Amino acid sequence: MNRWNPDPLELAVLALVAALYWRRARTLSARGRPVSRARAAAFAAGLATVLAALVSPIDTIGEERLFSVHMLQHLLLGDLGALLLVLGLDGRLLRPLLSLRIVHRLRVLAHPLVALPLWAADFCLWHLPVLFDAALRHDAVHALQHGLFVACGMLLWAALLEPLPGPAWFSAPWRIPYVLVMWLVMLVLAQVFIWSTHAYYEPYLHDPRLWGLSPLDDQKAGGGVMLVESALTMLPALVWVLLQVFRESEARQRLLDAGVEPRTAARAARYGRA
């Protein structure tokens, strides 16, 4: 139960991603444009978070014993891990990928009006009992679930943090409702689990229990895990957005006082050219 589960395919994928990132960072450094230590550390932390979620006892306990631990795994993959990976990226690092036609076309998935509903649908649908139980029973479905959590989570955070320039209208004030909707989705789903009157997921009804938790108490604890984790990520995100609002407002006002045309001032403030 408390065993590690080092799946060779998962380890190979993470190792390949780490190698590609290191190679690109080394190339940029050789050109006199080094990746900052903070950015590289964020990406490494993101990979470590995903690795821990997939191969540590979090995986085996969550799959074989406790829904609450399984929920922690999902949040590490689709929220915290995805956030750290996006913090580790910028346009320079992504340029080789963007040269691929298919990747360039898929950039639309990081548009805020696409990424947010796509993430919300993905996260909520996978917690429907029919899909959740299927993922527990079939390794291929489980791998697809985890892959989509990471991918949709990265698209969600990329739309907010913009390692690549986003749409011109998506200035800091518009990011406030974006973060609030993100948080609301998490809060609503958490409340479903916290206030549930019966256990939703059939496999956990028969699995051996841990720590004296009944299936229903375990499910409620899973909702609590979601509440805590969402606060730890969404609250700092909201504070960051509010600081961006103040920064853009001050920059725009300075440009207006200097006689710059309002639309030009707004664009310059948006992209930090004040």
Side-chain angles (χ1 to χ4, degrees):
M1 176 195 66
N2 294 321
R3 67 185 184 276
W4 287 70
N5 183 32
D7 182 271
L9 180 58
E10 293 172 344
L11 292 176
V13 170
L14 292 175
L16 177 61
V17 172
L20 291 173
Y21 186 93
W22 175 80
R23 181 178 179 181
R24 180 60 179 165
R26 187 177 180 183
T27 298
L28 291 171
S29 181
R31 295 174 181 174
R33 304 167 60 198
V35 177
S36 71
R37 291 183 179 180
R39 193 177 298 280
F43 195 83
L47 288 178
T49 300
V50 172
L51 179 67
L54 293 176
V55 307
S56 77
I58 291 173
D59 179 65
T60 51
I61 294 174
E63 190 170 340
E64 300 173 6
R65 294 291 189 274
L66 294 177
F67 167 78
S68 53
V69 177
H70 205 160
M71 176 60 73
L72 173 62
Q73 181 189 49
H74 290 179
L75 294 169
L76 290 175
L77 292 171
D79 195 29
L80 182 58
L83 168 60
L84 290 168
L85 290 172
V86 170
L87 286 172
L89 297 172
D90 62 15
R92 301 172 306 154
L93 288 161
L94 291 170
R95 189 162 294 121
L97 277 177
L98 295 175
S99 65
L100 302 175
R101 181 175 299 180
I102 186 171
V103 174
H104 185 74
R105 290 178 176 176
L106 289 176
R107 275 194 63 183
V108 68
L109 297 178
H111 189 285
L113 296 183
V114 177
L116 180 56
L118 182 65
W119 165 81
D122 176 74
F123 198 74
C124 293
L125 288 175
W126 276 115
H127 287 93
L128 292 176
V130 62
L131 292 179
F132 195 99
D133 291 352
L136 286 174
R137 293 192 175 100
H138 305 288
D139 290 342
V141 179
H142 209 178
L144 175 64
Q145 180 193 58
H146 288 170
L148 287 174
F149 280 153
V150 176
C152 292
M154 289 186 69
L155 291 171
L156 176 82
W157 287 110
L160 178 69
L161 301 176
E162 294 188 339
L164 297 172
W169 61 266
F170 194 54
S171 57
W174 281 105
R175 300 184 200 193
I176 296 175
Y178 185 93
V179 173
L180 291 177
V181 171
M182 290 166 59
W183 205 346
L184 180 63
V185 171
M186 303 282 274
L187 291 177
V188 169
L189 189 56
Q191 296 304 313
V192 170
F193 294 129
I194 289 173
W195 296 103
S196 55
T197 57
H198 64 279
Y200 298 130
Y201 305 114
E202 194 271 339
Y204 291 112
L205 298 177
H206 310 293
D207 284 344
R209 311 310 302 165
L210 279 180
W211 308 321
L213 285 174
S214 69
L216 183 57
D217 289 338
D218 176 32
Q219 189 168 276
K220 292 176 181 290
V225 168
M226 182 176 286
L227 278 181
V228 172
E229 194 280 340
S230 63
L232 291 176
T233 54
M234 301 301 172
L235 185 57
L238 185 58
V239 171
W240 176 80
V241 169
L242 291 172
L243 291 175
Q244 292 294 105
V245 170
F246 296 140
R247 183 192 64 80
E248 286 188 17
S249 177
E250 291 177 355
R252 183 170 58 250
Q253 189 58 50
R254 287 198 304 270
L255 290 168
L256 291 174
D257 292 343
V260 178
E261 189 267 341
R263 183 175 298 182
T264 303
R267 181 177 293 274
R270 160 88 165 85
Y271 293 107
R273 293 194 292 268

